[in-house]
Amino acid sequence: MDYVSARPVAPLTGEIAVPGDKSLSHRSVLFAAMAQGTSRLTGVLDSNDVRSTIGAVRVLGADVRVEEAPDEALAISVTGWGDTGPVAPDTPIDCGNSGTTARLLLGVLAGWDVEVTLTGDASLSKRPMERVTGPLDAMGASFQSTGGTLPVTVRGGELTAIEYESRVASAQVKTAVLLAGVRAHGRTVVREPARSRDHTELLLPAFGVPVGRDLIAHSAWVDGPVLPTATDIVVPGDPSSAAFIVAAGILVPGSHLTVTGVGLNPTRIAFLDVLERMDADVRVQPSASAGAEPVGTIHVGYSGSLRSTVVHAEEVPALVDEVPVLALLATQAEGPTRFEGAGELRVKESDRLAAVIEGLTALGASAHAEGDTLIVEGSADLRGVTLASRGDHRLAMTWALAGLVSAFPVTVTGFEAVDVSYPRFAADLVALGATG
Ligand code: S3P
């Protein structure tokens, strides 16, 4: 599907609640599937990625009932497999485009006496799985795959607890190992080079699984075996989806927008720190929390004179999904903006480092990489072009936003990729005053 985005004739105004957090929706469904009893989950994102996780736990034996689906938020009840464990389906489980589904499921299945094959779409089939199968193998599970990518067959069993030093700061790796640790005998510890998003550490205790942490050493641990127990979870709005609405408000002259009910977990919102350094008109107002997760409102106004900044490597894990949209904003800042330590972008839903450079260059901006550093020159006049989503939701939304400031409309091909995380993105932009 093509999307054509044009410079709006009037400011963007209004209030909006973005859809449920993708990371928390995956985790809520998975942890509830592992648990004994029935969990009630509300605010769950209804998107292709989360549907992949729901489909997977269903075929593995969890009973998932969608009770309500108002406005792309699912209210679901999940009766988990608990102490009887998952049942292996006869056919492979298709994880679609979802790296979180595939990697977390490998951790969940590693500790059970089952053999299950996971597959994915063309993009997911290129993404590295050894970063997860390596530590799980060391714990005692075995894996078959060609070249370390999907399809992967996991053969689970008795696990031994390990101390794992991860080379990458990745919440998916950390979570997969901790979920296997739930079934292992002893203390399973994961240490990371920098702090990645900590939703798993905050959510597992709600399911009766204590998680130890050392915030200075960037480590987390579970003492297994422990049986998760059902609970009720409210999923807040996704800060990564909110980032696109915030960027729209920053870009369009005269705009004033309010985004409500957004998750404000500090390991997810480093993009707000970067925007502050860029002199963007963004204000955060905390409100009641959703369980252990902080929640609040983001107010944003048009920011006509953005400044360039340096995004340091230690910040990247807490804004890894926001680099494309921040790079677009950087084209409108005065001076060059550097994103250091951005190498992980190469192994996302697309090679986002290459895609951002190519896309920004096609738009008439100037961007290049020096090793793992992305450099975006500012003060660019963007032109109207056609850009491909490359099947990547965050690129599709970034290029749609480019059309809000380009001289002529920007066409985004493959725009349906947004269904992975923010299916009503285009409708929300229109509701705020954009044409499209
Ligand atoms: C996610 C972690 C991040 C992020 C992805 C979701 C998660 O990936 O890019 O969109 O839910 O744990 P990595 O953990 O691989 O950095």
Side-chain angles (χ1 to χ4, degrees):
M1 184 187 56
D2 288 0
Y3 175 81
V4 182
S5 177
R7 199 185 261 264
V9 288
L12 305 183
T13 53
E15 185 175 302
I16 206 156
V18 286
D21 187 275
K22 184 159 78 68
S23 289
L24 278 166
S25 296
H26 284 299
R27 285 164 174 75
S28 303
V29 171
L30 271 177
F31 300 176
M34 295 162 67
Q36 190 78 24
T38 301
S39 300
R40 191 155 194 283
L41 317 175
T42 48
V44 174
L45 170 66
D46 188 4
S47 77
N48 287 352
D49 261 23
V50 179
R51 290 278 178 179
S52 293
T53 293
I54 291 175
V57 300
R58 269 192 176 135
V59 298
L60 289 165
D63 182 19
V64 184
R65 286 166 205 243
V66 176
E67 293 172 356
E68 243 186 302
D71 206 16
E72 277 148 30
L74 299 177
I76 58 183
S77 69
V78 181
T79 305
W81 51 71
D83 57 4
T84 56
V87 285
D90 299 334
T91 50
I93 295 178
D94 182 2
C95 300
N97 189 250
S98 177
T100 311
T101 307
R103 295 191 176 121
L104 270 51
L105 264 183
L106 290 173
V108 170
L109 296 170
W112 293 97
D113 183 19
V114 288
E115 186 172 298
V116 179
T117 300
L118 305 184
T119 61
D121 70 5
S123 149
L124 184 55
S125 301
K126 286 195 213 129
R127 299 180 65 188
M129 292 294 144
E130 322 93 311
R131 52 176 60 192
V132 167
T133 57
L136 298 178
D137 187 278
M139 294 176 82
S142 49
F143 298 89
Q144 273 171 19
S145 82
T146 314
T149 52
L150 296 186
V152 170
T153 300
V154 49
R155 167 90 238 168
E158 285 277 314
L159 299 181
T160 318
I162 57 165
E163 282 203 20
Y164 185 63
E165 189 98 37
S166 180
R167 272 186 305 106
V168 281
S170 159
Q172 294 180 352
V173 171
K174 172 175 63 181
T175 304
V177 176
L178 291 176
L179 293 180
V182 166
R183 293 279 299 159
H185 290 266
R187 175 164 290 184
T188 297
V189 185
V190 187
R191 208 167 296 112
E192 306 184 274
R195 188 167 167 209
S196 65
R197 65 189 66 188
D198 65 358
H199 299 306
T200 298
E201 295 91 310
L202 296 181
L203 193 61
L204 271 179
F207 287 89
V209 180
V211 180
R213 313 175 67 180
D214 181 336
L215 296 181
I216 294 165
H218 307 305
S219 65
W221 58 87
V222 292
D223 292 311
V226 51
L227 179 63
T229 49
T231 190
D232 295 343
I233 298 294
V234 179
V235 176
D238 196 320
S240 297
S241 297
F244 291 99
I245 301 297
V246 168
I250 288 173
L251 288 172
V252 179
S255 298
H256 275 288
L257 301 177
T258 302
V259 194
T260 59
V262 189
L264 294 178
N265 182 317
T267 63
R268 292 288 302 282
I269 56 168
F271 74 95
L272 293 172
D273 302 332
V274 172
L275 292 178
E276 197 182 317
R277 299 206 295 270
M278 293 177 82
D279 254 356
D281 177 11
V282 177
R283 192 165 54 83
V284 176
Q285 201 185 332
S287 56
S289 54
E293 294 282 345
V295 178
T297 299
I298 303 177
H299 300 275
V300 57
Y302 169 62
S303 313
S305 50
L306 291 175
R307 282 200 306 206
S308 61
T309 188
V310 178
V311 176
H312 298 286
E314 315 81 74
E315 292 182 283
V316 168
L319 52 70
V320 65
D321 295 333
E322 287 66 67
V323 173
V325 71
L326 287 173
L328 173 69
L329 291 175
T331 67
Q332 303 303 298
E334 203 178 316
T337 295
R338 295 169 62 86
F339 299 84
E340 296 174 351
E344 271 295 294
L345 265 73
R346 295 197 177 92
V347 289
K348 293 296 179 187
E349 286 83 332
S350 68
D351 177 346
R352 285 185 184 156
L353 203 53
V356 163
I357 291 169
E358 277 173 41
L360 293 183
T361 306
L363 282 161
S366 173
H368 69 284
E370 285 172 11
D372 284 347
T373 299
L374 168 67
I375 297 152
V376 179
E377 303 297 336
S379 307
D381 290 323
L382 303 187
R383 51 185 176 228
V385 284
T386 296
L387 294 171
S389 73
R390 302 188 183 203
D392 184 330
H393 52 136
R394 304 213 193 270
L395 292 182
M397 291 187 275
T398 299
W399 303 143
L401 293 185
L404 297 179
V405 283
S406 57
F408 292 99
V410 169
T411 300
V412 186
T413 61
F415 187 73
E416 63 281 358
V418 301
D419 291 348
V420 153
S421 65
Y422 197 165
R424 58 158 209 260
F425 175 65
D428 277 359
L429 277 186
V430 169
L432 296 170
T435 43

